[in-house]
Amino acid sequence: MSILIIAEHDNKTLKAATLNTLSAAEKIGGDIDLLVVGANCQAVADQAANVASVNKVFVADNDVYEHQLAENVSKLVVDLAKNYTHVLAPATTTGKNMLPRVAALLDVAQLSDVVAVVDKNTFVRPIYAGNAIATVTSSDAIKVITIRATGFDAANSEGGNAEIVSLDQVIASEKSRFVGEELAESDRPELTAASVIVSGGRGMGSGDNFKILDGLADKLGAAVGASRAAVDAGYVPNDFQVGQTGKTVAPDLYIAVGISGAIQHLAGMKSSKIIVAINKDEEAPIFQVADYGLVADLFDVVPELEKAL
Amino acid sequence: MKILVTVKRVVDYNVKVRVQPDHKAVELNNVKMSINPFCEIAVEEAVRLKEQGVATEIVVVSVGSKACQETLRTALALGADRAIQIEAEDNIDSLAVAKLVAAVAKEETPDLIIMGKQAIDSDNNQTGQMLAALLDIPQATFASEVKIDNGEAQVTREIDGGLQTLAITLPAVVTTDLRLNEPRFIKLPNIMKAKKKPLEVKTPDELGVATSSNITVVSVTPPEERQGGIKVSSVEELVDKLKNEAKVIA
Ligand SMILES: Cc1cc2nc3c(=O)[nH]c(=O)nc-3n(C[C@H](O)[C@H](O)[C@H](O)COP(=O)(O)OP(=O)(O)OC[C@H]3O[C@@H](n4cnc5c(N)ncnc54)[C@H](O)[C@@H]3O)c2cc1C
Ligand SMILES: Nc1ncnc2c1ncn2[C@@H]1O[C@H](COP(=O)(O)O)[C@@H](O)[C@H]1O
């Protein structure tokens, strides 16, 4: 068995989701190689080479790969993939964007958002917003899989000494051009890596009101998340959204404030260790999954909670 | 400009699905079915492009059993011009769907293909990307804004870190995210009109596509249910519980 993992990074640092993907690969077993595709991304390759269970690190470092566009990166991956039994990427927006192209070009299926490995051919993934859990077997010669980070602990990022191999293949991106981006700047931990999350919903009432969660988040060293309704209403940007079609999180502590608990929201946070819900409606479905529920007006209790910490 | 839109019939998003007692599949008998919400957004976007004079024709495609004709009629009522059902078992693999739609796209030669980013039953999020690869055309997934200009689509995408804008050469595949638009309500006269719009049925054989799969479902089980916890009566009690019982804060 041999596994190729497509590393998640921003040309500077290797992202934690890569390490969760690695521990999924360790469960499958066999040699694990990592592929870093980007521009001026040697630092990432060095970090990857340092990860304990990595055998070899391939690095394709060229301006054409700067924004990791799906069209050319998938072609690069396909060329390498033919030497492997499994090709894995984290189920991030980058992995989800690119990996299905790889599967199609290899003429194999893709298993999305895998949360557990049964054996080298058999995998577990949630369907229907996590209301059912499917166990599936694949007989494809190459298994192409995206890994949901919350399903696996992070692998050890230290102690390795993998060989770094440069790929000099340059595949231009002719039909897709990067125009610009607006990335959220924040001193807070990333939502998917935070051990505490404070999330707000439509109950926050406005973008200005949403700021009362900042004080609480600061005290807890927490990331701030949101429901779809809060994002749709423009209280916060899209990258805050937790849920079936947003981010999946599993922190030690998730505090849901003014969120009703629709199945689509629960799908993204149900695996949190401890859930706290603050909602003025005692019938809100969020209380069915909350370890500690507080029926109250959030505008009274959030400032109080901040003070009490 | 011609737009091809794919629509999938799925369990309505309001339904909390249950697993069959034999753990083979989810219970779909007597469950409300609807157009996949992301596909509805895809149709709406196409209709808006037509209303703006950018598009001239909208063809909707669904892969599935006869029941998906209902979903196609919904899309026609939203404003699509004609429909194609590809007769197949429900819930075949994404790769097979992509191959079937690719075969239709080769016949129809659309300038733009709009799809949902995700079907809310399989939660696969892959068919659009696969189709783009099979046709060797560019893609812009998770779109929250689409502008067509000069043979290009300028698309803003919702990504983990925020927003990214790409310019892709047409023909191309765009997959929709929630913020792209809010689909209109269908008016009764449009439902009547939709009944008269053309709906063609094709088979995988006619399209020369094999729909076999290398994936077998071993079991479908209910998720571990979380035990509901307790209600606390004050902030003080909450803090005490978090510190001393759950031990998640210091
Ligand atoms: C295809 C699809 C995908 C979706 N994906 C997602 C997703 O990824 N993530 C997601 O979150 N949703 C998603 N949704 C939306 C989901 O169905 C719900 O509409 C949404 O989660 C509701 O958000 P909410 O709980 O903030 O708002 P609401 O349901 O309106 O709830 C607001 C809550 O705030 C409480 N409240 C109001 N004022 C106060 C106050 N002063 N103090 C205390 N409590 C107060 C109310 O009692 C209420 O319970 C999706 C829907 C669809 C159709
Ligand atoms: N059976 C199908 N018929 C028509 N369109 C489909 C079908 N399956 C998937 N699609 C399209 O592909 C998108 C993504 O689906 P998926 O990759 O399964 O999550 C959906 O939103 C649809 O637009």
Side-chain angles (χ1 to χ4, degrees), chain A residues 201-203 226-230 241-246 258-262 264-265 278-281 284 296-299, chain B residues 13 37-38 120 178:
Chain A
R202 201 198 309 266
S227 71
R228 172 196 173 178
Q241 183 178 314
V242 170
Q244 178 189 15
T245 61
I259 293 178
S260 62
Q264 291 86 4
H265 189 76
I278 297 174
N279 196 305
K280 67 179 179 190
D281 171 13
D297 191 306
L298 70 94
F299 296 105
Chain B
Y13 79 96
F38 289 101
I120 60 163
L178 296 168

Side-chain angles (χ1 to χ4, degrees), chain B residues 6-9 36 38-39 42 61-64 91-92 94 97 101 114-129:
Chain B
T6 55
V7 295
K8 187 177 185 190
R9 180 174 183 265
N36 181 43
F38 289 101
C39 300
V61 183
S62 192
V63 179
N91 288 315
I92 58 171
S94 290
V97 173
V101 178
I114 314 182
M115 305 169 75
K117 82 162 178 183
Q118 177 173 346
I120 60 163
D121 50 2
S122 69
D123 282 336
N124 272 339
N125 194 332
Q126 53 181 237
T127 311
Q129 298 87 315

